[in-house]
Amino acid sequence: KQEVTQIPAALSVPEGENLVLNCSFTDSAIYNLQWFRQDPGKGLTSLLLIQSSQREQTSGRLNASLDKSSGRSTLYIAASQPGDSATYLCAVRVDSNYQLIWGAGTKLIIKP
Amino acid sequence: EADIYQTPRYLVIGTGKKITLECSQTMGHDKMYWYQQDPGMELHLIHYSYGVNSTEKGDLSSESTVSRIRTEHFPLTLESARPSHTSQYLCASSPLRGGETQYFGPGTRLLVL
């Protein structure tokens, strides 16, 4: 059974730092992996989607990598800003029904 | 900007009451989903739908039911609320073809006393 783990559960860093969030999954047979952002009182927003055949995706200051064989993905955030404060979740698609298995998220706080 | 709406946003209700959580989207998406999320925990899929008159159960056993009579509307019903139903309920939608990104509503926080 696929399990998704995100470490650390919480992270607090000063503004301007580059940081890495980690996501690991137990079964490498995935279709894709997505990173989402969740803000309090709001829904989730998709940030990046990496297909199983891809190694990385970039959007602005965000870069996500995927190492399917080792069951790992990282989300790199460059030059962090207070507005980046949120919970970041990763999810893997495991079947043809587009169902996602989710991690519990990393709560990120960027201190001004 | 994704247009998916959930009402109510917050609900406090007594044990045994019947409740319906509403979810509507204006994007014409065929697929819709209901997730349950406890604080600091992962999302669990409880129901999903491929389109009108299609409903499927997710990987989390749930005492709720759903219906899909119209493309844009996917309500979730609890016939008899219990304190164990206290949680956040998130609705999402995605196109059947051409994209895998799910668009989420703001969620409903339910407290059953």
Side-chain angles (χ1 to χ4, degrees):
Chain A
K1 181 183 175 184
Q2 179 74 266
E3 293 183 0
V4 179
T5 303
Q6 292 186 247
I7 295 174
L11 180 64
S12 180
V13 300
E15 179 179 5
E17 283 198 6
N18 303 324
L19 57 98
V20 174
L21 306 181
N22 297 295
C23 173
S24 61
F25 46 96
T26 54
D27 188 343
S28 62
I30 65 170
Y31 284 76
N32 59 48
L33 182 144
Q34 295 186 63
W35 284 92
F36 290 82
R37 169 180 174 145
Q38 185 173 28
D39 293 282
K42 298 182 181 180
L44 283 72
T45 302
S46 178
L47 298 173
L48 290 164
L49 185 152
I50 311 176
Q51 300 292 350
S52 61
S53 58
Q54 297 175 323
R55 297 286 299 196
E56 65 178 339
Q57 283 286 331
T58 298
S59 176
R61 294 183 293 109
L62 305 179
N63 176 277
S65 68
L66 175 64
D67 184 343
K68 201 172 68 166
S69 61
S70 67
R72 294 180 183 175
S73 175
T74 61
L75 179 66
Y76 175 82
I77 302 176
S80 58
Q81 303 170 358
D84 295 329
S85 298
T87 297
Y88 291 81
L89 299 99
C90 69
V92 297
R93 178 190 159 198
V94 297
D95 60 25
S96 58
N97 290 325
Y98 297 90
Q99 292 195 43
L100 302 179
I101 306 297
W102 296 79
T106 295
K107 185 175 182 179
L108 176 64
I109 297 174
I110 306 299
K111 297 175 289 187
Chain B
E1 176 115 3
D3 295 323
I4 180 163
Y5 309 98
Q6 291 186 242
T7 58
R9 295 290 309 279
Y10 305 92
L11 180 61
V12 180
I13 201 164
T15 296
K17 299 292 186 182
K18 177 180 179 179
I19 58 173
T20 296
L21 307 184
E22 301 288 348
C23 176
S24 294
Q25 50 95 5
T26 59
M27 297 172 283
H29 288 167
D30 292 295
K31 300 190 74 172
M32 296 189 74
Y33 315 79
W34 275 104
Y35 292 94
Q36 184 174 341
Q37 183 187 29
D38 293 323
M41 301 296 288
E42 60 271 25
L43 279 72
H44 289 284
L45 181 68
I46 47 177
H47 295 284
Y48 62 101
S49 167
Y50 288 111
V52 172
N53 294 326
S54 156
T55 60
E56 304 285 346
K57 289 192 174 183
D59 58 359
L60 179 67
S61 175
S62 174
E63 296 160 341
S64 59
T65 59
V66 291
S67 63
R68 190 85 184 275
I69 299 173
R70 303 198 314 264
T71 298
E72 62 271 22
H73 195 211
F74 191 40
L76 177 84
T77 298
L78 282 167
E79 291 293 332
S80 179
R82 296 210 300 265
S84 60
H85 295 138
T86 294
S87 189
Q88 175 170 240
Y89 293 84
L90 294 164
C91 180
S93 72
S94 65
L96 189 61
R97 296 181 182 85
E100 296 192 36
T101 298
Q102 295 184 16
Y103 298 86
F104 282 80
T108 293
R109 289 191 181 274
L110 173 65
L111 173 61
V112 183
L113 302 175

